[in-house]
Amino acid sequence: MTPARRGPKADQRLGRAALATALVFAVNGFLLGSWVSRLPATRDRLGASAAELGLVLLTPGFGSLLSMPFSGRWCRRFGSRVVIATTTVTASLALVALAVVPTLVALGLALFVWGSFYGSWDVAMNVHGSAVEQRAGREWMPRYHACWSVGGIAGAACGALAAQVGMPLILHFSIVAVLCTALVMVALRSFIEDRTASPEPALAPVAAPTPGAGATLDPAPGAALDPGTPQPPGPVPGPPEGESSPRRDVAAADIHSPRRKRRRRPARGRVLTGRLLLVGVVTLCATTLEGAAADWLALYLTDDRGATASLAAAGYAVFAVAMAGGRFSGTVVAERLGRHGAVRVGGLVSFVGVLVTVLGPGLVSVYVGAALWALGVCLVFPAAVSAGGEAPERPADAIAAVTTIGYGGFLVGPPLIGLLAEQVGLGRALLVLLVLAGGIAALAPAVRSRRPQPVP
């Protein structure tokens, strides 16, 4: 079935909605980058050790994992605009609270609350991004995630500047909270409606009465019925008798008895279909690959390759810049190769990137490998979110499931790499990522696009 041709006004509205979505993604990344950049100041303010701070930093991940599965339901009921507005305000307020909490326990509780709202915000903006790209018939999700990466880099840079000039945490986080809230509220004005209502069960048309068949005509409007005269039962909704319909006496009792339900609630389809489970596996592999680079690439450069701290930081900077650049070009790549083709190529490129990073000679090979690693994995998570949004039943819940699995990969994958590194060394532990990259390439057909392209 070919979609209807869109008019210029519809294209302009979708274009504005896409820009607004990109802004919300960038603000989300900016908020996170601002917090991460001031972790040293937070540690010094509370006098925490590295181990204590590490345990506390697990709490926002758990908060996100608990709230994200419910976020799809909230988006279906209230729309992503309402969910984003609510979570932006609360996450911004929680960020300010992080600057004044007096103890590590209080910091952990505040981070748990902050992570809960931040995770729901993440789901809601992906739900809206999916709705916009589906109506436009374009692969825009990679660009949204590229804007998130740029926002994170900008937030970290502003945080570094604030630390350099000695700006107090409370002032810095208050400015960030006000700025983020204001920008999101402006962006929400251009959002499209993406709320989905539960479908009502359809009623089959009732055949017109035929003379002599014992059928009675409805009384004229305003005519009173004689309470003493027995009335025949009214027409029963549903197919004619003999075509899987209930007996007339049972169906009529269901309708007229106040103790019985008037209509059954429509059955809801499953969210975790076989295809979505495969998409979840692809997501888990991708986020583990990405999280391993964030947590271990700089340490690998210093411990295994003998790089200085600045050269190690430059290694992860190469990865982050390649990640953002690859996502900005992701729309062109995905539309030319197909979404599944781009993911398959990405899995193979990340396989080569990890191999070159670990086994290549010299520091230059590590930088080249890190760039290939990032370019390979950068499109996988956006592609998985787009695939979840095309679920025929409850797409918002499917996106929530995909993003929850993604956060699980970020939370669980890197620590497992660390445990393995204790036994075999960090370099050999990173080689396990080759299995994940190969899995992405093998399971790429799971994210194949299922929507028709619009008529230009």
Side-chain angles (χ1 to χ4, degrees):
M1 181 178 179
T2 303
R5 190 185 299 269
R6 294 193 311 268
K9 289 186 177 180
D11 288 335
Q12 292 175 3
R13 178 163 176 74
L14 287 174
R16 290 194 300 269
L19 290 175
T21 307
L23 177 58
V24 171
F25 269 79
V27 171
N28 185 276
F30 186 87
L31 190 77
L32 179 62
S34 300
W35 156 244
V36 172
S37 67
R38 301 308 300 270
L39 275 174
T42 302
R43 178 200 60 194
D44 296 342
R45 184 177 69 84
L46 297 176
S49 67
E52 291 171 336
L53 187 62
L55 288 175
V56 168
L57 290 178
L58 291 175
T59 57
F62 288 121
S64 296
L65 290 177
L66 287 176
S67 68
M68 292 173 81
F70 302 99
S71 303
R73 182 184 309 172
W74 298 334
C75 289
R76 279 193 291 112
R77 182 171 181 180
F78 304 108
S80 61
R81 179 190 284 111
V82 173
V83 177
I84 290 174
T86 303
T87 52
T88 299
V89 172
T90 49
S92 299
L93 291 174
L95 179 69
V96 177
L98 297 178
V100 296
V101 290
T103 64
L104 275 174
V105 174
L107 178 64
L109 292 175
L111 281 173
F112 181 86
V113 173
W114 179 77
S116 299
F117 289 114
Y118 188 86
S120 295
W121 179 3
D122 194 315
V123 171
M125 68 186 187
N126 277 289
V127 168
H128 187 263
S130 175
V132 173
E133 72 164 5
Q134 286 194 52
R135 295 187 194 183
R138 301 293 305 278
E139 294 287 345
W140 283 342
M141 192 64 72
R143 291 181 180 176
Y144 299 147
H145 285 256
C147 291
W148 184 91
S149 299
V150 171
I153 294 171
C158 291
L161 180 61
Q164 181 69 27
V165 300
M167 181 180 292
L169 278 177
I170 183 63
L171 178 59
H172 177 205
F173 286 173
S174 296
I175 293 174
V176 170
V178 172
L179 178 63
C180 290
T181 301
L183 289 175
V184 168
M185 294 307 162
V186 171
L188 292 180
R189 299 175 61 184
S190 298
F191 269 36
I192 61 175
E193 180 60 52
D194 58 1
R195 203 167 20 178
T196 56
S198 298
E200 294 291 337
L203 300 182
V206 181
T210 56
T216 60
L217 297 176
D218 290 337
L225 296 177
D226 184 357
T229 303
Q231 301 295 327
V236 179
E241 290 191 45
E243 298 182 13
S244 302
S245 64
R247 297 199 324 268
R248 174 175 285 272
D249 55 344
V250 174
D254 283 341
I255 293 175
H256 296 291
S257 173
R259 296 184 180 181
R260 295 178 181 263
K261 294 182 179 179
R262 296 182 62 87
R263 60 165 60 97
R264 294 180 181 178
R265 298 181 64 181
R268 296 192 303 175
R270 290 187 306 148
V271 174
L272 293 179
T273 61
R275 177 182 183 248
L276 192 64
L277 288 174
L278 291 178
V279 172
V281 174
V282 172
T283 305
L284 188 65
C285 293
T287 53
T288 302
L289 273 163
E290 187 177 344
D295 286 8
W296 297 113
L297 182 57
L299 287 174
Y300 171 73
L301 279 164
T302 55
D303 295 352
D304 288 42
R305 295 302 185 103
T308 63
S310 59
L311 290 176
Y316 180 70
V318 168
F319 181 91
V321 171
M323 194 87 172
R327 283 177 169 174
F328 272 119
S329 62
T331 294
V332 176
V333 174
E335 290 180 347
R336 178 165 297 183
L337 300 179
R339 186 191 300 154
H340 64 291
V343 170
R344 179 183 293 113
V345 171
L348 296 176
V349 171
S350 61
F351 185 98
V352 174
V354 173
L355 204 61
V356 172
T357 299
V358 178
L359 301 181
L363 289 179
V364 175
S365 67
V366 178
Y367 294 153
V368 173
L372 293 174
W373 183 346
L375 290 173
V377 78
C378 66
L379 299 184
V380 182
F381 185 47
V385 173
S386 293
E390 293 171 355
E393 299 287 346
R394 298 155 62 190
D397 297 86
I399 291 175
V402 170
T403 51
T404 302
I405 293 171
Y407 266 60
F410 281 121
L411 187 65
V412 177
L416 292 179
I417 296 292
L419 292 176
L420 183 60
E422 287 289 331
Q423 305 299 321
V424 299
L426 184 54
R428 291 182 179 178
L430 290 176
L431 289 177
V432 173
L433 299 176
L434 297 175
V435 178
L436 304 183
I440 290 173
L443 298 177
V447 304
R448 183 189 301 269
S449 177
R450 293 187 172 184
R451 62 172 179 262
Q453 296 300 315
V455 177

